[in-house]
Amino acid sequence: MRRFLRENALSLAFGLGFLLVLCGQAVAGHADYTQQQLTSGGEDPGFWTYVTSSSFGVDVAENWQSEYLQFFLYTIATVWLLQRGSPESKPLGEAGRESDQEQAVGRYARDDSPPAAAAGGLRTRVYSRSLGLVVGLVFLASWTAQTVAGWAAFNAEQLADRQDSVSWAGYLAEPDFWNRTLQNWQSELLAVGSFAVLAVFLRERGSPESKPVGAPHDATADTG
């Protein structure tokens, strides 16, 4: 058990942190939503009613989709785009998918390579892009969930204000949807872009996200 915890500490810590923060968001969101309902003459919807509501769902989904969009774009962009001096970049001059030999696929696969890397053909082509494909699909799924939950929440507000509801396609043209979406996208792009630049000049000793403390600023693809 001790070995398992040590070897999986990163995923376990973030998984536990995710659950704790999600529960905290549910509690805080319920309190805020209840306050809004009481202020407008409504009733306390109850915790579980709120957690299964479109209001909570859209708040969760809009954050998930923006995070997975960040991962998807960064995974794909770093194949082709470089940043001099950043540990998040590949070495200068090595943009692109790289050769089969460099990637250890097909006849260049090692004994300990995943079977899909050695299989060749379509199986290897799909596996060699599987990270981007899966992250992209998760983004699309969470974005779709956001649109559906946001549509339901928007129509609930419309009916409460005695206004006409809108179709799903109509909601996608509403400022409410794009305001929710773009405020998350711009923050993710800013965070990723600024981190790539900050890592050129700043260090975090022992972190694989940083260059070694003594590495020169122009050292690229060097991690500590």
Side-chain angles (χ1 to χ4, degrees):
M1 177 59 72
R2 228 182 238 187
R3 180 180 177 182
F4 174 81
L5 293 175
R6 183 177 65 253
E7 294 180 351
N8 297 278
L10 190 60
S11 57
L12 291 172
F14 276 90
L16 178 60
F18 162 73
L19 294 175
L20 291 174
V21 173
L22 183 63
C23 290
Q25 178 188 352
V27 172
H30 172 248
D32 181 57
Y33 186 74
T34 298
Q35 186 178 48
Q36 294 178 25
Q37 291 294 101
L38 296 176
T39 300
S40 60
E43 299 179 351
D44 182 346
F47 179 76
W48 293 113
T49 300
Y50 168 71
V51 169
T52 57
S53 71
S54 57
S55 294
F56 180 69
V58 70
D59 288 341
V60 172
E62 72 183 28
N63 285 286
W64 289 8
Q65 60 89 8
S66 66
E67 295 297 334
Y68 278 98
L69 174 65
Q70 173 196 139
F71 296 146
F72 173 73
L73 292 178
Y74 208 55
T75 299
I76 301 303
T78 51
V79 173
W80 305 100
L81 305 180
L82 307 173
Q83 179 62 53
R84 183 181 180 88
S86 177
E88 299 298 310
S89 168
K90 295 196 295 185
L92 300 178
E94 295 187 13
R97 293 289 183 183
E98 303 177 1
S99 67
D100 286 356
Q101 185 172 6
E102 291 171 316
Q103 288 291 312
V105 299
R107 63 191 180 92
Y108 298 104
R110 299 185 293 263
D111 291 339
D112 57 353
S113 295
L122 179 61
R123 185 180 177 189
T124 296
R125 287 198 297 273
V126 171
Y127 183 69
S128 68
R129 293 164 175 78
S130 57
L131 180 60
L133 287 171
V134 170
V135 172
L137 288 173
V138 175
F139 160 68
L140 289 176
S142 54
W143 182 81
T144 301
Q146 179 202 342
T147 66
V148 173
W151 172 44
F154 182 80
N155 278 338
E157 293 180 2
Q158 289 289 96
L159 294 174
D161 295 336
R162 301 179 186 278
Q163 299 182 42
D164 294 335
S165 59
V166 300
S167 65
W168 178 75
Y171 175 65
L172 296 186
E174 287 288 335
D176 176 79
F177 169 71
W178 288 108
N179 178 52
R180 285 180 173 274
T181 299
L182 295 177
Q183 67 179 308
N184 284 282
W185 287 4
Q186 56 86 14
S187 64
E188 300 301 336
L189 292 170
L190 173 64
V192 171
S194 61
F195 184 81
V197 175
L198 289 172
V200 174
F201 305 102
L202 306 179
R203 308 286 189 269
E204 186 61 42
R205 184 169 183 157
S207 174
E209 299 303 313
S210 167
K211 293 184 289 188
V213 178
H217 291 325
D218 62 354
T220 307
D222 191 7
T223 62

